[in-house]
């Protein structure tokens, strides 16, 4: 992954974390705000959504009570 793409993923990830979930129109907003085309931002958002989902899954695992022995 290029440095530019990694930075775009981090920007998109920050937006996802702030919003708590994916919002329609995110790629267009990122393209207008930060420059570049929507297709590039769409790929960054896809990668960021995967990372965000993994983070949320890890949080769910951490909050689950440990199984109790019978």
């Amino acid at each position: 992954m290029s440095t530019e793409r990694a930075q775009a993923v981090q920007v998109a990830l920050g937006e996802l974390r702030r919003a708590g979930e994916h919002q329609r129109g995110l790629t267009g907003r990122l393209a207008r705000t930060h420059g570049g085309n929507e297709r590039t931002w769409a790929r960054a958002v896809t990668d960021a959504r995967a990372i965000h989902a993994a983070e949320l899954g890890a949080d769910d695992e951490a909050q689950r009570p440990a199984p109790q022995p019978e």
Side-chain angles (χ1 to χ4, degrees):
M1 183 180 306
S2 72
T3 303
E4 290 175 354
R5 176 130 179 230
Q7 289 173 340
V9 170
Q10 289 304 310
V11 168
L13 184 57
E15 288 294 315
L16 291 172
R17 287 175 178 153
R18 184 185 59 74
E21 62 183 18
H22 176 70
Q23 295 178 336
R24 188 174 184 178
L26 177 61
T27 58
R29 188 165 28 101
L30 290 171
R32 286 188 302 277
T33 303
H34 300 282
N37 64 49
E38 285 191 39
R39 184 143 175 92
T40 299
W41 282 105
R43 288 190 297 268
V45 168
T46 298
D47 291 347
R49 287 179 76 180
I51 294 167
H52 190 246
E55 289 174 351
L56 293 177
D59 288 346
D60 289 345
E61 289 293 323
Q63 293 177 8
R64 255 186 223 153
Q68 300 297 320
E70 294 182 28

